[in-house]
Amino acid sequence: MPKEQDVVEIEKRANDKEYVLKCVAQKGALLEFVSNELKNDKEVVLEAIQNNPEALEFASDELKANREVVYASVSKVGWTYCYAKENLLTDRELLLAGLKQTGQILYFATKKMRADKEIVLEAVKNKGIIVK
């Protein structure tokens, strides 16, 4: 199956930051096809997430450990919390922001967070079966 034209073009210019910024602003998922260097560029990744919060999946591990970047995604599409690196898993505010979107992310929370009454109540608001 042939690749979509926008994928072919961005792969050709995967290191061209200006071009990539324009592309991911229109179609955030194109972040998947840019250079590793630009997947680690906070400006590029935030632009992609602004268009499509699920683009967090394609960010570098370093940026998946960056609170600002992860919050930009999780606060819009809660399930992307699953991409957050370990250093962010004790961030109560980040988890609550995601739980407001989908209670199911409680599965990815630390044991300590799952023992927090406010966190569990927020999860139940969005996904009652979560406490089963």
Side-chain angles (χ1 to χ4, degrees):
M1 186 168 168
K3 292 182 182 178
E4 290 183 34
Q5 188 60 35
D6 53 355
V7 172
V8 171
E9 289 302 314
I10 204 161
E11 285 179 331
K12 287 181 188 174
R13 298 175 72 180
N15 284 310
D16 182 340
K17 184 175 177 176
E18 188 176 317
Y19 178 76
V20 167
L21 276 168
K22 289 177 187 174
C23 290
V24 299
Q26 295 174 11
K27 193 171 181 181
L30 288 174
L31 185 63
E32 178 179 5
F33 305 102
V34 308
S35 68
N36 288 336
E37 180 182 333
L38 292 181
K39 286 179 182 180
N40 195 42
D41 185 297
K42 189 174 176 181
E43 181 183 9
V44 170
V45 171
L46 284 172
E47 190 67 41
I49 288 171
Q50 179 69 27
N51 173 268
N52 179 353
E54 295 174 14
L56 179 61
E57 174 182 1
F58 307 114
S60 68
D61 284 348
E62 184 178 326
L63 290 180
K64 288 177 185 172
N66 180 287
R67 187 185 191 282
E68 179 185 357
V69 171
V70 175
Y71 189 89
S73 175
V74 168
S75 64
K76 294 178 184 162
V77 179
W79 70 262
T80 59
Y81 183 81
C82 70
Y83 298 121
K85 292 298 175 187
E86 193 171 330
N87 67 302
L88 297 177
L89 298 182
T90 57
D91 186 321
R92 194 169 187 277
E93 184 183 345
L94 179 65
L95 179 57
L96 283 169
L99 288 170
K100 289 180 192 310
Q101 302 303 315
T102 178
Q104 228 169 345
I105 68 167
L106 189 62
Y107 289 120
F108 300 104
T110 64
K111 202 173 204 174
K112 182 179 178 183
M113 293 291 214
R114 289 192 308 261
D116 183 308
K117 184 178 179 180
E118 182 184 0
I119 287 173
V120 172
L121 288 174
E122 192 62 49
V124 171
K125 282 183 194 175
N126 293 300
K127 189 77 172 175
I129 199 166
I130 200 78
V131 294
K132 194 173 183 187

